[in-house]
Amino acid sequence: MKFITFILLFIYANTSLALGLGDAELKSHLGEKLVVNVNITEMEAAADSACFSISDASDVPAFKKPNLAFKQVNDNYQLLISSKETITEPIITLRVTAHCENNVSRDYVLLLDPAPLISMEGESNNIADQD
């Protein structure tokens, strides 16, 4: 009886593995086009970017329709999200929905920092050297 219970639990555990949306990595700054990588967990090899939809759930939408790409890095999968428009809103609520295996949705609150400034000290040294 214990063996049958173990087998049933093992089968249940394997069927419970489903697609998951992992961490998001913001790659852009305020005033640039949005670039975000979202890690996908427990992904079947047959899935692609058509299984996902992206929307801006912010009060003030920062973009209309983003570009989606799907890539495999070693044994991991990533959804690459980019916008066509430059982003002027510092806070974006990005909603990622997967609808191929199971309907899974996750909201990511992204805080965009201003782009780093070029050091003025280095430029002033170059100007002084030219004199």
Side-chain angles (χ1 to χ4, degrees), residues 49-66:
S49 61
C51 290
F52 298 91
S53 61
I54 309 298
S55 61
D56 185 353
S58 305
D59 291 336
V60 178
F63 60 87
K64 294 179 185 172
K65 184 174 174 154

Side-chain angles (χ1 to χ4, degrees), residues 12-38:
Y12 176 75
N14 281 340
T15 59
S16 67
L17 296 177
L19 177 135
L21 299 171
D23 294 335
E25 184 180 0
L26 182 62
K27 300 280 195 174
S28 56
H29 294 92
L30 191 64
E32 300 175 348
K33 294 180 181 184
L34 181 68
V35 179
V36 179
N37 294 344
V38 175

Side-chain angles (χ1 to χ4, degrees), residues 15-20 41-43 101-102 104:
T15 59
S16 67
L17 296 177
L19 177 135
T41 61
E42 304 300 327
M43 186 71 186
E101 291 179 24
N102 297 328
V104 177

Side-chain angles (χ1 to χ4, degrees), residues 25-124:
E25 184 180 0
L26 182 62
K27 300 280 195 174
S28 56
H29 294 92
L30 191 64
E32 300 175 348
K33 294 180 181 184
L34 181 68
V35 179
V36 179
N37 294 344
V38 175
N39 294 319
I40 309 298
T41 61
E42 304 300 327
M43 186 71 186
E44 288 185 5
D48 63 5
S49 61
C51 290
F52 298 91
S53 61
I54 309 298
S55 61
D56 185 353
S58 305
D59 291 336
V60 178
F63 60 87
K64 294 179 185 172
K65 184 174 174 154
N67 297 318
L68 296 178
F70 190 73
K71 76 174 183 177
Q72 182 176 0
V73 179
N74 300 325
D75 291 334
N76 301 319
Y77 294 91
Q78 285 187 338
L79 186 63
L80 309 174
I81 304 164
S82 61
S83 70
K84 298 172 185 162
E85 307 90 8
T86 57
I87 304 300
T88 58
E89 293 296 323
I91 301 173
I92 297 173
T93 303
L94 184 70
R95 178 167 294 142
V96 179
T97 304
H99 44 80
C100 280
E101 291 179 24
N102 297 328
N103 284 336
V104 177
S105 184
R106 182 170 177 188
D107 288 350
Y108 297 92
V109 177
L110 306 174
L111 304 174
L112 284 85
D113 292 327
L117 297 175
I118 298 173
S119 172
M120 294 304 287
E121 183 178 312
E123 288 182 14
S124 63

